[in-house]
Amino acid sequence: MKDVAAHAGVSAATVSRALSGGRAMNPEVQRRVQESARELGYQVNLLGRALRQQRLNIVGLMVPDLENPFFAALAEQLARTLRGNGFELLVSSAAGSVEIEAHGVQSFLGQQIHALVIIPCDELASADTLRLARERVPVVQYDRRVAAVDVPFVGCDNRAGMELLANHVRTADPAGDQVVFVGADATSSSGRERLEGFRREFPNAPALAGSFDVEWGYRAVGEIVAMGIESGTIVAAADVIALGVLTGLIGAGFRVPQDFRVVGFDGIGISQFVMPTLTTIRQPVERMSDAILELIREGVGGSESAAITLQPEFVSGASSPS
Amino acid sequence: MKDVAAHAGVSAATVSRALSGGRAMNPEVQRRVQESARELGYQVNLLGRALRQQRLNIVGLMVPDLENPFFAALAEQLARTLRGNGFELLVSSAAGSVEIEAHGVQSFLGQQIHALVIIPCDELASADTLRLARERVPVVQYDRRVAAVDVPFVGCDNRAGMELLANHVRTADPAGDQVVFVGADATSSSGRERLEGFRREFPNAPALAGSFDVEWGYRAVGEIVAMGIESGTIVAAADVIALGVLTGLIGAGFRVPQDFRVVGFDGIGISQFVMPTLTTIRQPVERMSDAILELIREGVGGSESAAITLQPEFVSGASSPS
DNA sequence: GTGAAAGCGCTAACAA
DNA sequence: TTGTTAGCGCTTTCAC
């Protein structure tokens, strides 16, 4: 920076003003400084700036698992939204572990990020991490909620989504054949709420519990067959699970949708193009990202934490390629 | 930090020593300082530390697209490897754009990251970004290579992988029925090398070009049908593409593997559990991550850039769930 | 409109 | 072994 100042024949303060562009100044001088900077290949040290300003214009996103394509899609969309508004998004994965999550959040905090967006790993065990983070920086919970901690939340209405799915299932199959729920772990709010939503609609249908990944859906088919069920509708708690279910069904020789109908939840990323007739519930990812941006801008001030629950929409199954 | 020093009755330098744990010191004092720190909820400001030390123990990973599950898998594995060795991995996505990639890399550099790992967007247009980064920090190219720039590379031998696939295809189908390649864009080295590998094995087979995503595989089925092909083996340049192909085939009423066999490439993440009979080539992700760690540790010093090309392995198609 | 100077939080060299 | 001091690169008063 000193070099640029010398090269342009001004002081370091002027270089700073010329490049950060905040205050009014002689445009001719500004141009000269910018040219010198380019010529010398100078690039501001964000650490120096952040140390002085006490904040970096970076938002951290902590996800439970990057290999879940729904989280990847959330990350991509959030990055897009923030990028258009002067922020950079950096993503870190907890790899399913509460300890790694805690450690990663600590690292984010140490870097003086502007805000933290977190999809908590565990409805209970992530609470301490959230409490800690909230003392230092604006925090938003995304998609999954730790209710015990007073931190704003943005997500979709999982129970309403299940209601939409249930209506579809009943319409498509008024005879009321077998319905099975292939759920995820109940240690996340989304998993629990979707199970509750399903139970309210189909109190007597069997519900299996697993995790949010393809493998579980694949294995669940074995369990369903073992129950003696050979046709019906399978409601998966997420599209990744539905994908595994479809794979398992076809591998086991069933026909879709003749033998089994499969519906999912999330409606995003890869699943949009997976298999025929995957009907799903689409989460309003753009609006959720916008809501997060808004919270971050406000600094997530009050002790009165917002809980922004947006409405998902029904998406009918894809047809085959022409 | 001053507060902790006062609380423990020592100087700031001692607090620093006690918490970063580098130098020898009175263990009793160290314990006291650590206790004070915990009591006051003190956490080091990594910015201050990095500013002083001129480096952060963070490695940046720039990927073309987080929604590609193969890249997500690479990111997860790299994070795991680095985490075990004192580094933190932060991920940023270029969202398919060279401009966003350049901007993200600039941001990483401004943060004084310890090293940059990059899966370049474009075999040509990413060159400037690589050159710029290499001036400031150790850089490793991963999976895709910009040959024009002298920056070390870690990846797998795509041509050898295609050879393995070809052997399988010929064995499974000695009659030699129709083989079609559903490729990706040739603006990435992996896309180009896999196409070349295919061409060398099947000089006369048709090869379609598209992109590394599910949607393209799905659409490719339409093109194949339009060519009048109604059975054979489809070689996809990546598992994500194979996934789309399978979806398209089944949606169009074909049977797999009776009418069409499908093989993929990458062998990682979601694709491991997708559909029956998806045979693929598995990239040695763990060994690739280890190689990257090694390069980062060495500081990627010499002007003689390494090109570490590891051997992939053949993975036969999955069977159905029991 | 611009420069001089102070200081963000930390650590490394040196002195005690 | 510990304290003192200087300074990493930047921005922001406060004078001019």
Side-chain angles (χ1 to χ4, degrees), chain A residues 296-321:
Chain A
I296 287 172
R297 276 200 171 132
E298 290 168 14
V300 194
S303 64
E304 184 64 25
S305 291
I308 301 178
T309 309
L310 300 170
Q311 291 307 311
E313 59 177 317
F314 180 79
V315 181
S316 191
S319 54
S320 59

PDB file of all heavy atoms in Angstrom, chain A residues 296-321:
ATOM      1  N   ILE A 296     -29.661 -10.556   7.929  1.00  0.00           N
ATOM      2  CA  ILE A 296     -28.248 -10.220   8.073  1.00  0.00           C
ATOM      3  C   ILE A 296     -28.059  -8.711   7.990  1.00  0.00           C
ATOM      4  O   ILE A 296     -27.298  -8.117   8.739  1.00  0.00           O
ATOM      5  CB  ILE A 296     -27.418 -10.918   6.975  1.00  0.00           C
ATOM      6  CG1 ILE A 296     -27.322 -12.407   7.297  1.00  0.00           C
ATOM      7  CG2 ILE A 296     -26.048 -10.314   6.858  1.00  0.00           C
ATOM      8  CD1 ILE A 296     -26.690 -13.226   6.196  1.00  0.00           C
ATOM      9  N   ARG A 297     -28.788  -8.095   7.079  1.00  0.00           N
ATOM     10  CA  ARG A 297     -28.694  -6.644   6.925  1.00  0.00           C
ATOM     11  C   ARG A 297     -29.126  -5.923   8.181  1.00  0.00           C
ATOM     12  O   ARG A 297     -28.521  -4.949   8.601  1.00  0.00           O
ATOM     13  CB  ARG A 297     -29.583  -6.211   5.774  1.00  0.00           C
ATOM     14  CG  ARG A 297     -28.922  -6.331   4.432  1.00  0.00           C
ATOM     15  CD  ARG A 297     -29.683  -5.442   3.497  1.00  0.00           C
ATOM     16  NE  ARG A 297     -29.026  -5.307   2.222  1.00  0.00           N
ATOM     17  CZ  ARG A 297     -29.657  -5.447   1.058  1.00  0.00           C
ATOM     18  NH1 ARG A 297     -30.945  -5.755   1.055  1.00  0.00           N
ATOM     19  NH2 ARG A 297     -29.008  -5.271  -0.060  1.00  0.00           N
ATOM     20  N   GLU A 298     -30.204  -6.402   8.756  1.00  0.00           N
ATOM     21  CA  GLU A 298     -30.711  -5.776   9.982  1.00  0.00           C
ATOM     22  C   GLU A 298     -29.779  -6.021  11.154  1.00  0.00           C
ATOM     23  O   GLU A 298     -29.929  -5.406  12.194  1.00  0.00           O
ATOM     24  CB  GLU A 298     -32.076  -6.372  10.352  1.00  0.00           C
ATOM     25  CG  GLU A 298     -33.197  -5.982   9.429  1.00  0.00           C
ATOM     26  CD  GLU A 298     -34.420  -6.837   9.701  1.00  0.00           C
ATOM     27  OE1 GLU A 298     -34.435  -7.502  10.760  1.00  0.00           O
ATOM     28  OE2 GLU A 298     -35.338  -6.836   8.866  1.00  0.00           O
ATOM     29  N   GLY A 299     -28.859  -6.951  10.984  1.00  0.00           N
ATOM     30  CA  GLY A 299     -27.979  -7.284  12.090  1.00  0.00           C
ATOM     31  C   GLY A 299     -28.640  -8.224  13.072  1.00  0.00           C
ATOM     32  O   GLY A 299     -28.112  -8.469  14.151  1.00  0.00           O
ATOM     33  N   VAL A 300     -29.804  -8.731  12.725  1.00  0.00           N
ATOM     34  CA  VAL A 300     -30.505  -9.699  13.573  1.00  0.00           C
ATOM     35  C   VAL A 300     -30.541  -9.194  15.005  1.00  0.00           C
ATOM     36  O   VAL A 300     -30.169  -9.868  15.954  1.00  0.00           O
ATOM     37  CB  VAL A 300     -29.809 -11.081  13.554  1.00  0.00           C
ATOM     38  CG1 VAL A 300     -30.729 -12.129  14.144  1.00  0.00           C
ATOM     39  CG2 VAL A 300     -29.421 -11.473  12.160  1.00  0.00           C
ATOM     40  N   GLY A 301     -31.001  -7.938  15.098  1.00  0.00           N
ATOM     41  CA  GLY A 301     -30.850  -7.218  16.358  1.00  0.00           C
ATOM     42  C   GLY A 301     -31.594  -7.764  17.554  1.00  0.00           C
ATOM     43  O   GLY A 301     -30.999  -8.353  18.462  1.00  0.00           O
ATOM     44  N   GLY A 302     -32.893  -7.594  17.590  1.00  0.00           N
ATOM     45  CA  GLY A 302     -33.677  -7.724  18.824  1.00  0.00           C
ATOM     46  C   GLY A 302     -33.532  -9.067  19.517  1.00  0.00           C
ATOM     47  O   GLY A 302     -33.116 -10.057  18.923  1.00  0.00           O
ATOM     48  N   SER A 303     -33.892  -9.075  20.759  1.00  0.00           N
ATOM     49  CA  SER A 303     -33.900 -10.332  21.493  1.00  0.00           C
ATOM     50  C   SER A 303     -35.130 -11.129  21.058  1.00  0.00           C
ATOM     51  O   SER A 303     -35.250 -12.314  21.311  1.00  0.00           O
ATOM     52  CB  SER A 303     -33.947 -10.071  22.989  1.00  0.00           C
ATOM     53  OG  SER A 303     -35.156  -9.421  23.310  1.00  0.00           O
ATOM     54  N   GLU A 304     -36.023 -10.429  20.378  1.00  0.00           N
ATOM     55  CA  GLU A 304     -37.215 -11.091  19.856  1.00  0.00           C
ATOM     56  C   GLU A 304     -36.858 -11.740  18.525  1.00  0.00           C
ATOM     57  O   GLU A 304     -36.872 -11.100  17.483  1.00  0.00           O
ATOM     58  CB  GLU A 304     -38.325 -10.041  19.643  1.00  0.00           C
ATOM     59  CG  GLU A 304     -39.650 -10.607  19.192  1.00  0.00           C
ATOM     60  CD  GLU A 304     -40.250 -11.507  20.262  1.00  0.00           C
ATOM     61  OE1 GLU A 304     -39.916 -11.301  21.447  1.00  0.00           O
ATOM     62  OE2 GLU A 304     -41.016 -12.402  19.904  1.00  0.00           O
ATOM     63  N   SER A 305     -36.509 -13.004  18.548  1.00  0.00           N
ATOM     64  CA  SER A 305     -36.018 -13.654  17.342  1.00  0.00           C
ATOM     65  C   SER A 305     -37.137 -14.010  16.369  1.00  0.00           C
ATOM     66  O   SER A 305     -38.132 -14.611  16.750  1.00  0.00           O
ATOM     67  CB  SER A 305     -35.267 -14.929  17.697  1.00  0.00           C
ATOM     68  OG  SER A 305     -34.074 -14.594  18.335  1.00  0.00           O
ATOM     69  N   ALA A 306     -36.888 -13.667  15.110  1.00  0.00           N
ATOM     70  CA  ALA A 306     -37.853 -13.987  14.070  1.00  0.00           C
ATOM     71  C   ALA A 306     -37.857 -15.487  13.797  1.00  0.00           C
ATOM     72  O   ALA A 306     -36.843 -16.159  13.970  1.00  0.00           O
ATOM     73  CB  ALA A 306     -37.491 -13.238  12.798  1.00  0.00           C
ATOM     74  N   ALA A 307     -39.000 -16.019  13.392  1.00  0.00           N
ATOM     75  CA  ALA A 307     -39.070 -17.383  12.880  1.00  0.00           C
ATOM     76  C   ALA A 307     -39.827 -17.255  11.575  1.00  0.00           C
ATOM     77  O   ALA A 307     -41.048 -17.137  11.556  1.00  0.00           O
ATOM     78  CB  ALA A 307     -39.786 -18.306  13.839  1.00  0.00           C
ATOM     79  N   ILE A 308     -39.091 -17.223  10.482  1.00  0.00           N
ATOM     80  CA  ILE A 308     -39.699 -16.995   9.184  1.00  0.00           C
ATOM     81  C   ILE A 308     -39.940 -18.344   8.520  1.00  0.00           C
ATOM     82  O   ILE A 308     -39.004 -19.035   8.135  1.00  0.00           O
ATOM     83  CB  ILE A 308     -38.787 -16.117   8.310  1.00  0.00           C
ATOM     84  CG1 ILE A 308     -38.576 -14.784   9.038  1.00  0.00           C
ATOM     85  CG2 ILE A 308     -39.392 -15.907   6.942  1.00  0.00           C
ATOM     86  CD1 ILE A 308     -37.660 -13.846   8.324  1.00  0.00           C
ATOM     87  N   THR A 309     -41.204 -18.713   8.420  1.00  0.00           N
ATOM     88  CA  THR A 309     -41.562 -20.013   7.869  1.00  0.00           C
ATOM     89  C   THR A 309     -42.325 -19.805   6.582  1.00  0.00           C
ATOM     90  O   THR A 309     -43.469 -19.389   6.599  1.00  0.00           O
ATOM     91  CB  THR A 309     -42.420 -20.799   8.884  1.00  0.00           C
ATOM     92  OG1 THR A 309     -41.738 -20.796  10.140  1.00  0.00           O
ATOM     93  CG2 THR A 309     -42.611 -22.216   8.425  1.00  0.00           C
ATOM     94  N   LEU A 310     -41.680 -20.098   5.460  1.00  0.00           N
ATOM     95  CA  LEU A 310     -42.295 -19.829   4.168  1.00  0.00           C
ATOM     96  C   LEU A 310     -43.046 -21.049   3.656  1.00  0.00           C
ATOM     97  O   LEU A 310     -42.769 -22.180   4.053  1.00  0.00           O
ATOM     98  CB  LEU A 310     -41.217 -19.392   3.184  1.00  0.00           C
ATOM     99  CG  LEU A 310     -40.481 -18.113   3.630  1.00  0.00           C
ATOM    100  CD1 LEU A 310     -39.267 -17.850   2.761  1.00  0.00           C
ATOM    101  CD2 LEU A 310     -41.423 -16.922   3.600  1.00  0.00           C
ATOM    102  N   GLN A 311     -43.971 -20.797   2.739  1.00  0.00           N
ATOM    103  CA  GLN A 311     -44.801 -21.886   2.233  1.00  0.00           C
ATOM    104  C   GLN A 311     -44.171 -22.589   1.031  1.00  0.00           C
ATOM    105  O   GLN A 311     -43.788 -21.950   0.056  1.00  0.00           O
ATOM    106  CB  GLN A 311     -46.181 -21.353   1.836  1.00  0.00           C
ATOM    107  CG  GLN A 311     -47.017 -20.911   3.028  1.00  0.00           C
ATOM    108  CD  GLN A 311     -47.132 -21.984   4.099  1.00  0.00           C
ATOM    109  OE1 GLN A 311     -47.444 -23.132   3.794  1.00  0.00           O
ATOM    110  NE2 GLN A 311     -46.832 -21.630   5.353  1.00  0.00           N
ATOM    111  N   PRO A 312     -44.073 -23.908   1.090  1.00  0.00           N
ATOM    112  CA  PRO A 312     -43.551 -24.675  -0.043  1.00  0.00           C
ATOM    113  C   PRO A 312     -44.646 -24.858  -1.096  1.00  0.00           C
ATOM    114  O   PRO A 312     -45.804 -24.526  -0.838  1.00  0.00           O
ATOM    115  CB  PRO A 312     -43.190 -26.020   0.591  1.00  0.00           C
ATOM    116  CG  PRO A 312     -44.161 -26.174   1.709  1.00  0.00           C
ATOM    117  CD  PRO A 312     -44.465 -24.790   2.222  1.00  0.00           C
ATOM    118  N   GLU A 313     -44.262 -25.371  -2.255  1.00  0.00           N
ATOM    119  CA  GLU A 313     -45.280 -25.579  -3.282  1.00  0.00           C
ATOM    120  C   GLU A 313     -45.215 -26.987  -3.856  1.00  0.00           C
ATOM    121  O   GLU A 313     -44.174 -27.642  -3.830  1.00  0.00           O
ATOM    122  CB  GLU A 313     -45.129 -24.560  -4.406  1.00  0.00           C
ATOM    123  CG  GLU A 313     -43.783 -24.631  -5.081  1.00  0.00           C
ATOM    124  CD  GLU A 313     -43.659 -23.660  -6.238  1.00  0.00           C
ATOM    125  OE1 GLU A 313     -44.611 -23.545  -7.019  1.00  0.00           O
ATOM    126  OE2 GLU A 313     -42.584 -23.026  -6.370  1.00  0.00           O
ATOM    127  N   PHE A 314     -46.324 -27.417  -4.395  1.00  0.00           N
ATOM    128  CA  PHE A 314     -46.436 -28.763  -4.937  1.00  0.00           C
ATOM    129  C   PHE A 314     -45.865 -28.821  -6.349  1.00  0.00           C
ATOM    130  O   PHE A 314     -46.123 -27.939  -7.164  1.00  0.00           O
ATOM    131  CB  PHE A 314     -47.921 -29.156  -4.953  1.00  0.00           C
ATOM    132  CG  PHE A 314     -48.155 -30.526  -5.500  1.00  0.00           C
ATOM    133  CD1 PHE A 314     -47.929 -31.646  -4.703  1.00  0.00           C
ATOM    134  CD2 PHE A 314     -48.595 -30.703  -6.794  1.00  0.00           C
ATOM    135  CE1 PHE A 314     -48.143 -32.917  -5.207  1.00  0.00           C
ATOM    136  CE2 PHE A 314     -48.810 -31.966  -7.300  1.00  0.00           C
ATOM    137  CZ  PHE A 314     -48.581 -33.083  -6.500  1.00  0.00           C
ATOM    138  N   VAL A 315     -45.066 -29.841  -6.624  1.00  0.00           N
ATOM    139  CA  VAL A 315     -44.513 -30.006  -7.967  1.00  0.00           C
ATOM    140  C   VAL A 315     -44.838 -31.405  -8.460  1.00  0.00           C
ATOM    141  O   VAL A 315     -44.398 -32.397  -7.876  1.00  0.00           O
ATOM    142  CB  VAL A 315     -42.978 -29.841  -7.980  1.00  0.00           C
ATOM    143  CG1 VAL A 315     -42.454 -29.986  -9.400  1.00  0.00           C
ATOM    144  CG2 VAL A 315     -42.579 -28.508  -7.408  1.00  0.00           C
ATOM    145  N   SER A 316     -45.583 -31.466  -9.538  1.00  0.00           N
ATOM    146  CA  SER A 316     -45.986 -32.757 -10.075  1.00  0.00           C
ATOM    147  C   SER A 316     -44.814 -33.442 -10.767  1.00  0.00           C
ATOM    148  O   SER A 316     -43.877 -32.793 -11.220  1.00  0.00           O
ATOM    149  CB  SER A 316     -47.124 -32.536 -11.054  1.00  0.00           C
ATOM    150  OG  SER A 316     -47.673 -33.777 -11.387  1.00  0.00           O
ATOM    151  N   GLY A 317     -44.850 -34.757 -10.825  1.00  0.00           N
ATOM    152  CA  GLY A 317     -43.757 -35.538 -11.386  1.00  0.00           C
ATOM    153  C   GLY A 317     -43.384 -35.160 -12.814  1.00  0.00           C
ATOM    154  O   GLY A 317     -44.227 -34.740 -13.601  1.00  0.00           O
ATOM    155  N   ALA A 318     -42.104 -35.322 -13.129  1.00  0.00           N
ATOM    156  CA  ALA A 318     -41.609 -34.991 -14.461  1.00  0.00           C
ATOM    157  C   ALA A 318     -42.089 -36.025 -15.469  1.00  0.00           C
ATOM    158  O   ALA A 318     -42.387 -37.161 -15.130  1.00  0.00           O
ATOM    159  CB  ALA A 318     -40.084 -34.964 -14.447  1.00  0.00           C
ATOM    160  N   SER A 319     -42.153 -35.622 -16.693  1.00  0.00           N
ATOM    161  CA  SER A 319     -42.491 -36.580 -17.743  1.00  0.00           C
ATOM    162  C   SER A 319     -41.198 -37.048 -18.406  1.00  0.00           C
ATOM    163  O   SER A 319     -40.115 -36.622 -18.048  1.00  0.00           O
ATOM    164  CB  SER A 319     -43.411 -35.916 -18.767  1.00  0.00           C
ATOM    165  OG  SER A 319     -42.811 -34.735 -19.228  1.00  0.00           O
ATOM    166  N   SER A 320     -41.305 -37.921 -19.347  1.00  0.00           N
ATOM    167  CA  SER A 320     -40.106 -38.477 -19.972  1.00  0.00           C
ATOM    168  C   SER A 320     -39.559 -37.519 -21.035  1.00  0.00           C
ATOM    169  O   SER A 320     -40.260 -36.639 -21.506  1.00  0.00           O
ATOM    170  CB  SER A 320     -40.467 -39.814 -20.599  1.00  0.00           C
ATOM    171  OG  SER A 320     -41.492 -39.613 -21.555  1.00  0.00           O
ATOM    172  N   PRO A 321     -38.292 -37.694 -21.426  1.00  0.00           N
ATOM    173  CA  PRO A 321     -37.697 -36.820 -22.435  1.00  0.00           C
ATOM    174  C   PRO A 321     -38.320 -37.106 -23.791  1.00  0.00           C
ATOM    175  O   PRO A 321     -38.640 -38.243 -24.099  1.00  0.00           O
ATOM    176  CB  PRO A 321     -36.218 -37.216 -22.415  1.00  0.00           C
ATOM    177  CG  PRO A 321     -36.205 -38.626 -21.909  1.00  0.00           C
ATOM    178  CD  PRO A 321     -37.379 -38.742 -20.986  1.00  0.00           C
TER     179      PRO A 321
END
